Amino acid sequence: EAGVTQSPTHLIKTRGQQATLRCSPISGHTSVYWYQQALGLGLQFLLWYDEGEERNRGNFPPRFSGRQFPNYSSELNVNALELEDSALYLCASSLVVGHYGYTFGSGTRLTVV
Amino acid sequence: DQQVKQNSPSLRVQEGRISILNCDYTNSMFDYFLWYKKYPAEGPTFLISISSIKDKNEDGRFTVFLNKSAKHLSLHIVPSQPGDSAVYFCAARYYGGSQGNLIFGKGTKLSVKP
């Protein structure tokens, strides 16, 4: 069974540009979660999508947005990039937030220069 | 305001000894707690979990203890092995209202020395 896949692995963008990160959940998983792991800050919750709808978002500005497609894959968009957006962005999927928690992908390392 | 706190950024343990990783939380509505392990350049992987109605859960070398009155949980690894060296994240779930996401602590880096 394929795990959660994220692309690209690395992304370098210039301040002010837009970044698009992609995530394919485990087959059959309908919920997708996005987390940001900035240096020294642990995993910060960004967005939760389930069945194509945004269910919850963390304490991030509106320039962080995303969507979930009918095949349950998801996209995270970060507009007007700032230097402090440099981080590892992790995607996770689950059937529901159940006893075994999420399955995470390996992440996209975004560097803003 | 951090709802899940891991106050020790790092822990060094000798191989064969016990590793104890601690986690405190503030939200009494959390009903499920999980531990994840993360190696560099990889995503976190699920390790062990515990429901708020229990006070202990064991899986091989890993045991999680929950003290609800103190809002404290701990992960015990016995015996510790060099392959256990990783960052360990404590996470909690509040399954109610619009929330459903896990809230993570900042992690504790465990180093197990041979």
Side-chain angles (χ1 to χ4, degrees):
Chain A
E1 176 186 84
V4 177
T5 57
Q6 291 187 245
S7 62
T9 307
H10 293 86
L11 188 60
I12 299 175
K13 290 286 187 178
T14 304
R15 190 170 51 182
Q17 285 188 315
Q18 179 195 45
T20 298
L21 290 65
R22 295 179 177 83
C23 172
S24 292
I26 289 175
S27 177
H29 286 193
T30 62
S31 274
V32 171
Y33 306 82
W34 287 95
Y35 282 81
Q36 181 196 66
Q37 186 184 16
L39 197 61
L41 291 182
L43 277 71
Q44 304 290 309
F45 169 68
L46 267 165
L47 290 159
W48 169 31
Y49 292 96
D50 184 66
E51 295 285 358
E53 293 189 17
E54 182 181 300
R55 300 294 186 183
N56 198 14
R57 67 179 291 129
N59 189 25
F60 281 84
R63 56 190 187 82
F64 287 84
S65 66
R67 54 180 170 166
Q68 187 178 33
F69 300 98
N71 66 354
Y72 303 116
S73 66
S74 177
E75 201 172 82
L76 174 69
N77 295 294
V78 188
N79 294 318
L81 283 165
E82 300 178 2
L83 296 178
E84 52 264 34
D85 296 332
S86 295
L88 179 67
Y89 289 83
L90 291 162
C91 172
S93 74
S94 72
L95 279 170
V96 291
V97 181
H99 291 244
Y100 298 102
Y102 308 155
T103 302
F104 280 90
S106 297
T108 293
R109 173 70 63 185
L110 173 64
T111 302
V112 182
V113 297
Chain B
D1 180 32
Q2 260 199 297
Q3 297 186 68
V4 178
K5 300 176 185 178
Q6 293 178 258
N7 292 319
S8 299
S10 63
L11 175 67
R12 292 169 64 97
V13 171
Q14 200 69 29
E15 181 180 4
R17 298 289 187 99
I18 183 172
S19 294
I20 300 177
L21 296 99
N22 293 303
C23 178
D24 297 295
Y25 63 95
T26 58
N27 191 338
S28 57
M29 296 298 290
F30 288 143
D31 67 344
Y32 217 82
F33 302 90
L34 304 92
W35 285 93
Y36 282 80
K37 180 168 73 172
K38 185 180 185 300
Y39 293 116
E42 294 182 13
T45 55
F46 169 77
L47 193 57
I48 192 170
S49 63
I50 187 167
S51 164
S52 60
I53 62 173
K54 295 187 175 183
D55 54 19
K56 178 182 174 181
N57 187 28
E58 210 169 338
D59 184 4
R61 296 186 297 113
F62 303 91
T63 303
V64 57
F65 295 92
L66 175 62
N67 182 333
K68 284 186 67 177
S69 61
K71 293 190 175 67
H72 176 84
L73 66 156
S74 61
L75 174 68
H76 293 211
I77 305 174
V78 184
S80 301
Q81 300 173 354
D84 297 329
S85 297
V87 177
Y88 289 78
F89 291 97
C90 170
R93 181 189 84 174
Y94 165 42
Y95 202 75
S98 63
Q99 295 195 47
N101 49 280
L102 293 177
I103 298 173
F104 285 82
K106 290 187 177 182
T108 296
K109 183 177 182 179
L110 173 65
S111 299
V112 180
K113 298 303 180 184

